[in-house]
């Protein structure tokens, strides 16, 4: 047994580091946190300075035993977990656990920190060990205690006042508030009509457009023209005044510099991977973890990127020198600025010892590594590599042109603008994406050569109708950006915040946009009305800042906990007594019940919100939330359809799992069918060879695939089928499968066949449960 025992979090990381350190070191994985708070009330004791009761996590019992056994034969222990507060906490918990077992007697314990898994970084860290950072540990303990106390005290209140099984979180609740408030803003939005007037022009055989900015000497605003009649009248006046041409009144030419974006931090990587690659935050962090921990690149295992949980935009001097040298080699020395670029970190708590996310070596060119990486790994690595290279290149230079064209003795003015890239600089490598843009990021408009005082041919004038649009719903990129701007959460928490909201069914993700569920709306309404302070963006951000102050050693965590706990627990007790369930789950509306004349209200039921009588159970009148109340007791008939079994009319019904089509002769006839027909994948069923495989949804909402001939044929799959035969066993189809370890692959669905190959398609199209 080696004399030196090194502990890291994951087996992949352990494998890479053991190769770097050699035979004198034995490296084991803790598989994440080894212990956590006991999962019941009393795990945190506010009356005893928030003393915490921990226990070993069941799934990691055997790993703790393996570490304990190895430590008995080792002389020195190195704790080499990740360089952030979670990593520090994992090391501390392990240290405390081994100390309790009396396994550390007369054995030196060192904390080892490195920000990239390269041989140089690892061996230097081992040669210069540190001690556990108690300030980081205290900050992590305080965060864990706060989250526990909020969850264990607020969640039972939600059970009593709304529905059993609900829960609330310290950081997730403000994030839910963002999504619900945006939805309410969209619902309250009133669309307005407006028209724009464009001139279609030609000069030097090139067509271009100009927009009306002044009419009859008056400046045109967005709502100057609000109906078709005025638009057509304006158009005709302009055509008459122009008589086939516009005059170039004023020509402006100038150059603009565009600077490259800073290298990636956690939040910007998540945003760009969402915009450019369609990755979820969870997938981005999973793939980044693989790149960080080490990839076999042809006989050599190497960590390809630096640590991916960081809010620092710093780059080491050595890395910058390497990047600048490579830019000169690949893109030419003229694209290297005279001085290295230095970026400023926005976060007050950014740890300057950390670096931005970058390749461990700029000379690991993406195309040279492509054969060793999965499709997802390659896409993310290429994104990181390009952003890193671009940040140390010269600015881009754009030629901007603006031209005013007039008619009617200068009373009517059109404006055309355009830009061309004079010197591409960093834009030759990378251009940062934008949220909610309909045009591509790097689209530039071009204008033909024009001269002041010269006429330009007018082909036509177009009056174009528009309608104002509400603000867009949050996608993953824009939600992460908003959380970061408000100071809610930290780099390591954005992915878990989003996952938690989805797992609790507070929000759904449809077409890459977040929609609050009915339950999410009610929970948010309850929290914002009764726990306003605790879902306030500024309060949440200020609490994060105070926890950061604890991590810097500027503040003691126990007084901070008392400061939070006393008013919070008082409010819990107050609301338990003063708030009634109906106050939360019912919302009064200005309408009387058509059956008993009692007031109606919006209520929360098993299947979501509905309108019901407040005189329930005496009166059982109900209707769907979006119905207008007319013929509320008459089921909606499906036009042009009859029951295939008894030929009675088919009607729309609502059940436990939402709306469906059923026979009006129920219960004599029990025929039912989904409202939405299952999508046909077009892949022939390999079992019966008669039907095709349809995409369906199970009762609990999971996507699965089964034969269209069911129940005659019971062939079914959890993974999407592909119309390709297996090259190993010749089974007629393959499936697209996603796992944490291998990413997205095409695999043979036959249990006895192990065929698998990377899938090059869009992983966002893959539906179904994800396996570990």
């Amino acid at each position: 047994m080696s004399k030196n025992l090194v502990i890291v979090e994951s087996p992949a990381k352990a494998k890479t580091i053991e190769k770097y350190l050699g035979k004198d070191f034995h490296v084991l994985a803790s598989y994440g946190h080894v212990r956590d708070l006991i999962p019941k009330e009393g795990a945190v004791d506010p009356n005893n300075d928030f003393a915490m009761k921990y226990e070993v996590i069941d799934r990691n019992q055997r790993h703790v035993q393996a570490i304990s056994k190895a430590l008995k034969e080792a002389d020195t222990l190195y704790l080499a977990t990740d360089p952030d507060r979670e990593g520090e906490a994992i090391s501390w918990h392990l240290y405390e656990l081994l100390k309790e077992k009396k396994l550390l007697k007369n054995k030196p314990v060192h904390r080892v920190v490195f920000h990239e898994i390269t041989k140089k970084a690892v061996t230097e860290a081992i040669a210069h060990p540190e001690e556990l950072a108690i300030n980081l540990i205290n900050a992590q303990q305080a965060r864990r205690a706060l989250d526990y106390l909020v969850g264990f005290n607020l969640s039972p209140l939600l059970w009593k006042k709304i529905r059993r099984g609900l829960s609330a979180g310290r950081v997730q609740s403000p994030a839910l508030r963002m999504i619900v408030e945006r939805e309410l803003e969209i619902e309250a939005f009133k669309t307005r009509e407006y028209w724009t007037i464009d001139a279609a022009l030609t000069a030097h055989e090139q067509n271009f457009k100009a927009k009306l900015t002044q009419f009859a000497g008056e400046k045109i605003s967005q709502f100057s023209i609000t109906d078709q009649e005025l638009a057509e009248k304006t158009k005709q006046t302009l055509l008459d005044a122009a008589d086939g041409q516009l005059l170039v009144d004023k020509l402006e030419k100038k150059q603009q510099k565009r600077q490259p974006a800073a290298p990636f931090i956690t939040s910007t990587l998540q945003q760009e991977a969402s915009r450019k690659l369609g990755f979820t935050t969870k997938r981005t962090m999973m793939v980044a973890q693989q790149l960080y921990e080490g990839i076999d690149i042809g006989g050599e295992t190497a960590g390809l990127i630096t640590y991916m949980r960081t809010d620092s935009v710093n780059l080491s001097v050595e890395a910058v020198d390497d990047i600048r040298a490579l830019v000169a080699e690949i893109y030419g020395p003229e694209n290297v600025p005279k001085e290295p670029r230095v970026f400023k970190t926005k976060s007050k708590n950014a740890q300057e010892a950390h670096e931005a996310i970058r390749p461990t070596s700029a000379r690991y060119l993406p195309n040279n590594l492509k054969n060793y990486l999965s499709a997802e790994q390659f896409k993310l690595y290429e994104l990181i590599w390009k952003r890193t290279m671009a940040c140390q290149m010269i600015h881009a230079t754009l030629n901007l042109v603006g031209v005013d064209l007039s008619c009617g003795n200068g009373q009517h003015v059109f404006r055309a603008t355009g830009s061309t890239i004079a010197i591409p600089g960093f834009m030759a490598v990378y251009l940062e994406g934008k949220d909610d843009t309909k045009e591509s990021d790097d689209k530039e408009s071009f204008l033909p050569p024009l001269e002041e005082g010269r006429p330009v041919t007018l082909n036509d004038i177009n009056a174009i109708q528009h309608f104002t649009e509400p603000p867009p719903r949050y996608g993953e990129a824009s939600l992460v950006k908003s959380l970061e701007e408000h100071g809610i959460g930290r780099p390591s928490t954005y992915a878990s915040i989003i996952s938690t909201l989805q797992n609790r069914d507070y929000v759904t993700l449809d077409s890459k946009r977040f929609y609050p569920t009915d339950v999410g709306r009610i929970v948010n309404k309850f929290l914002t009305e009764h726990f306003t302070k605790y879902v306030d963006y500024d309060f949440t951000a200020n609490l994060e800042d105070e926890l950061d102050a604890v991590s810097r050693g500027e503040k003691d965590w126990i007084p901070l906990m008392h400061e939070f706990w006393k008013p919070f627990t008082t409010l819990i007790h107050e609301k338990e007594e003063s708030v009634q369930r109906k106050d939360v789950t019912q919302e009064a509306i200005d309408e009387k019940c058509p059956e008993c004349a009692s007031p109606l209200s919006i209520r929360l039921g098993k299947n979501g919100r509905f309108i019901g009588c407040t005189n329930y159970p005496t009166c059982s009148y109900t209707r769907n939330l979006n119905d207008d109340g007319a013929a509320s007791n008459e089921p909606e008939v499906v036009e042009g359809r009859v029951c295939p079994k008894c030929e009675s009319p088919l009607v729309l019904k609502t059940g436990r799992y939402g709306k469906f089509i059923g026979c009006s002769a129920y219960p004599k006839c029990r025929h039912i069918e989904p409202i939405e027909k299952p999508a046909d994948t077009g892949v022939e069923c390999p079992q019966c060879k008669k039907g095709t495989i349809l995409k369906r949804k199970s009762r609990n909402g999971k996507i699965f695939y089964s034969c269209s001939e069911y129940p005659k044929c019971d062939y079914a799959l959890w993974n999407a089928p592909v119309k390709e035969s297996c090259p190993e066993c010749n089974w007629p189809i393959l499936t697209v499968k996603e796992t944490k370890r291998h990413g997205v692959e095409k695999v043979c669905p036959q249990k006895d066949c192990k065929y698998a190959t990377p899938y090059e398609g869009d992983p966002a199209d893959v539906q179904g449960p994800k396996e570990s």
Side-chain angles (χ1 to χ4, degrees):
M1 179 62 69
S2 300
K3 291 183 178 181
N4 301 296
L5 179 63
V6 181
I7 307 299
V8 297
E9 298 98 322
S10 72
K13 189 175 175 182
K15 185 179 177 182
T16 306
I17 290 172
E18 194 161 66
K19 283 186 178 180
Y20 292 154
L21 295 177
K23 61 182 180 180
D24 290 334
F25 290 83
H26 182 43
V27 186
L28 287 176
S30 70
Y31 290 78
H33 278 281
V34 293
R35 67 177 190 172
D36 197 4
L37 293 171
I38 59 173
K40 56 187 177 182
E41 199 168 352
V44 179
D45 185 1
N47 298 320
N48 189 21
D49 279 345
F50 302 93
M52 302 184 205
K53 296 176 184 176
Y54 293 104
E55 66 178 13
V56 177
I57 299 169
D58 281 344
R59 69 174 184 273
N60 282 352
Q61 285 277 10
R62 62 190 181 94
H63 304 306
V64 172
Q65 290 171 2
I67 290 168
S68 301
K69 184 179 177 181
L71 184 58
K72 288 176 183 177
E73 300 182 37
D75 293 335
T76 306
L77 176 64
Y78 291 89
L79 300 168
T81 49
D82 286 343
D84 59 9
R85 67 170 188 245
E86 288 300 315
E88 205 71 28
I90 291 171
S91 285
W92 176 76
H93 280 298
L94 190 58
Y95 173 82
E96 290 293 311
L97 202 56
L98 296 172
K99 189 168 73 172
E100 285 175 16
K101 291 174 174 282
K102 299 182 179 177
L103 295 173
L104 297 178
K105 192 175 181 180
N106 299 323
K107 292 185 180 181
V109 180
H110 301 298
R111 174 73 169 111
V112 175
V113 175
F114 41 81
H115 303 281
E116 59 184 70
I117 303 180
T118 59
K119 187 169 185 177
K120 181 182 178 184
V122 172
T123 52
E124 281 188 1
I126 291 288
H128 302 92
E130 302 171 4
E131 294 182 352
L132 284 165
I134 193 62
N135 293 329
L136 279 179
I137 294 162
N138 287 340
Q140 197 277 340
Q141 280 207 98
R143 279 184 168 88
R144 186 69 188 91
L146 282 169
D147 292 341
Y148 169 88
L149 290 171
V150 170
F152 259 82
N153 287 276
L154 198 48
S155 298
L157 193 60
L158 294 178
W159 288 33
K160 293 176 185 176
K161 306 303 179 185
I162 303 176
R163 177 191 290 176
R164 288 186 65 82
L166 299 179
S167 58
R170 179 180 63 86
V171 182
Q172 292 84 8
S173 297
L176 174 62
R177 179 185 168 190
M178 282 183 186
I179 294 169
V180 173
E181 285 183 344
R182 178 60 58 86
E183 193 68 23
L184 294 173
E185 196 178 344
I186 291 168
E187 290 172 357
F189 185 83
K190 287 182 170 51
T191 298
R192 291 184 65 183
E193 179 184 4
Y194 67 99
W195 291 69
T196 56
I197 310 293
D198 289 350
L201 304 158
T202 301
H204 298 282
E205 299 183 351
Q206 181 181 332
N207 296 329
F208 67 104
K209 291 181 180 179
K211 184 178 180 179
L212 182 68
T213 57
Q214 183 179 309
F215 180 74
E218 297 289 330
K219 187 177 178 181
I220 295 290
S221 65
Q222 183 179 9
F223 298 107
S224 293
I225 305 171
T226 55
D227 58 67
Q228 185 172 5
E229 184 181 350
L230 181 57
E232 293 296 336
K233 185 178 178 182
T234 304
K235 173 182 174 178
Q236 193 56 53
T237 301
L238 291 167
L239 285 171
D240 293 343
D243 194 24
Q245 63 182 28
L246 297 180
L247 188 69
V248 177
D249 264 357
K250 186 168 66 173
L251 191 65
E252 298 171 337
K253 292 182 180 180
K254 61 180 180 180
Q255 285 197 331
Q256 183 186 68
K257 293 179 180 178
R258 188 180 295 184
Q259 304 295 339
F264 280 130
I265 59 176
T266 305
S267 60
T268 53
L269 176 64
Q270 290 172 347
Q271 290 169 54
E272 281 291 82
S274 175
R275 296 180 191 120
K276 292 180 179 287
L277 307 180
F279 284 11
T280 62
T281 52
K282 188 175 180 180
R283 176 178 283 116
T284 299
M285 298 311 288
M286 180 185 76
V287 177
Q289 185 87 32
Q290 295 164 0
L291 296 172
Y292 165 70
E293 290 184 344
I295 303 289
D296 186 340
I297 52 174
E300 175 195 355
T301 302
L304 297 183
I305 64 169
T306 53
Y307 191 54
M308 64 284 163
R309 290 187 179 89
T310 178
D311 49 13
S312 170
V313 290
N314 290 337
L315 293 175
S316 69
V317 174
E318 184 182 46
V320 170
D321 290 344
D322 195 24
I323 294 163
R324 286 166 60 84
L326 192 60
V327 168
E329 290 175 28
I330 298 176
Y331 303 105
E334 68 277 7
N335 279 299
V336 182
K338 291 181 180 179
E339 298 294 330
R341 290 189 180 276
V342 179
F343 297 91
K344 290 184 178 180
T345 299
K346 293 179 183 178
S347 172
K348 291 182 286 186
N349 201 51
Q351 299 178 47
E352 298 307 313
H354 286 211
E355 281 194 74
I357 305 167
R358 63 165 176 83
T360 52
S361 170
R363 294 177 186 275
Y364 284 144
L365 305 184
N367 285 333
N368 292 349
L369 300 178
K370 191 169 186 177
N371 292 336
Y372 305 108
L373 303 176
S374 69
E376 288 180 312
Q377 289 169 346
F378 174 75
K379 288 176 183 177
L380 193 65
Y381 179 74
E382 184 181 46
L383 191 74
I384 293 167
W385 186 89
K386 285 183 174 180
R387 174 94 162 210
T388 308
M389 295 295 287
C391 84
Q392 291 299 322
M393 294 178 69
I394 63 167
H395 59 261
T397 303
L398 306 179
N399 288 329
L400 303 182
V401 179
V403 57
D404 288 337
L405 305 107
S406 69
C407 62
N409 296 320
Q411 288 291 296
H412 314 306
V413 180
F414 292 81
R415 178 79 174 175
T417 57
S419 63
T420 57
I421 301 172
I423 303 171
F426 76 91
M427 288 173 62
V429 180
Y430 185 88
L431 189 62
E432 188 173 30
K434 297 176 181 176
D435 290 320
D436 304 309
T437 52
K438 295 180 181 177
E439 297 186 355
S440 61
D441 300 324
D442 53 354
K443 185 175 181 180
E444 301 292 341
S445 57
F446 296 88
L447 292 179
L450 299 168
E451 295 178 39
E452 287 186 4
R454 299 294 293 269
V456 173
T457 302
L458 174 65
N459 302 316
D460 198 3
I461 287 178
N462 300 309
I464 306 160
Q465 185 184 38
H466 305 272
F467 294 94
T468 55
E469 294 182 355
R473 291 178 177 88
Y474 285 109
E476 290 215 14
S478 54
L479 183 60
V480 167
K481 185 177 181 181
S482 188
L483 288 169
E484 185 183 31
E485 287 173 348
H486 283 91
I488 296 170
R490 287 298 180 261
S492 60
T493 63
Y494 298 133
S496 65
I497 289 171
I498 291 169
S499 295
T500 301
L501 291 176
Q502 290 176 280
N503 293 339
R504 288 176 178 168
D505 290 326
Y506 290 167
V507 303
T508 58
L509 189 64
D510 186 13
S511 301
K512 300 184 179 181
R513 297 290 172 187
F514 288 112
Y515 293 77
T517 63
D518 286 344
V519 174
R521 286 172 182 262
I522 297 292
V523 169
N524 177 71
K525 180 174 178 284
F526 174 71
L527 294 174
T528 52
E529 286 183 2
H530 300 287
F531 289 84
T532 313
K533 172 182 175 182
Y534 298 98
V535 289
D536 179 75
Y537 303 138
D538 289 338
F539 174 83
T540 308
N542 290 336
L543 187 55
E544 286 288 356
D545 289 341
E546 289 183 312
L547 289 167
D548 288 342
V550 173
S551 72
R552 295 191 298 268
E554 298 167 5
K555 195 160 191 169
D556 188 356
W557 72 280
I558 293 175
L560 172 62
M561 294 295 299
H562 282 295
E563 190 180 321
F564 173 88
W565 175 247
K566 288 174 183 175
F568 178 72
T569 188
T570 301
L571 189 59
I572 289 280
H573 294 311
E574 284 178 6
K575 297 302 178 182
E576 201 159 8
E577 298 297 325
S578 64
V579 179
Q580 296 182 49
R581 187 186 185 96
K582 67 177 184 179
D583 297 336
V584 182
T585 59
Q586 296 186 30
E587 182 182 338
I589 60 173
D590 188 20
E591 190 179 338
K592 299 291 184 182
C593 175
E595 293 184 3
C596 72
S598 297
L600 293 178
S601 66
I602 299 173
R603 308 173 74 174
L604 180 66
K606 289 181 180 179
N607 303 313
R609 295 195 302 165
F610 66 97
I611 292 175
C613 183
T614 56
N615 195 25
Y616 176 85
T618 304
C619 177
S620 59
Y621 173 82
T622 63
R623 73 167 189 263
N624 291 333
L625 183 62
N626 296 321
D627 291 348
D628 59 7
S632 58
N633 291 323
E634 293 295 322
E636 185 181 342
V637 176
V638 180
E639 294 293 335
R641 293 283 315 280
V642 294
C643 175
K645 291 182 179 178
C646 71
E647 297 190 350
S648 297
L650 290 177
V651 293
L652 286 178
K653 297 187 173 187
T654 302
R656 183 179 177 186
Y657 301 104
K659 287 189 175 183
F660 64 95
I661 294 173
C663 182
S664 59
Y666 178 85
K668 290 181 180 179
C669 178
R670 294 179 176 271
H671 172 77
I672 63 169
E673 59 185 65
I675 290 178
E676 292 182 18
K677 293 290 184 184
D680 194 336
T681 65
V683 178
E684 183 183 76
C685 174
Q687 185 167 287
C688 70
K689 301 192 185 306
K690 293 180 180 179
T692 55
I693 298 176
L694 305 180
K695 179 181 177 182
R696 304 179 188 268
K697 186 178 286 188
S698 70
R699 283 188 170 185
N700 59 9
K702 286 187 176 181
I703 300 296
F704 71 99
Y705 302 83
S706 65
C707 181
S708 59
E709 293 294 303
Y710 179 82
K712 292 179 182 178
C713 177
D714 62 358
Y715 188 74
L717 300 158
W718 280 118
N719 300 309
V722 179
K723 198 184 295 185
E724 292 179 32
S725 59
C726 175
E728 291 190 9
C729 73
N730 294 320
W731 186 249
I733 68 168
L734 295 174
T735 61
V736 179
K737 181 178 180 181
E738 181 181 8
T739 61
K740 288 182 179 179
R741 181 172 295 180
H742 302 293
V744 183
E745 297 179 303
K746 280 190 294 190
V747 301
C748 181
Q750 295 296 87
K751 289 182 179 179
D752 296 334
C753 182
K754 303 298 181 186
Y755 176 76
T757 187
Y759 177 65
E760 298 293 337
D762 184 356
D765 295 334
V766 180
Q767 299 275 358
K770 296 174 176 57
E771 302 177 21
S772 56

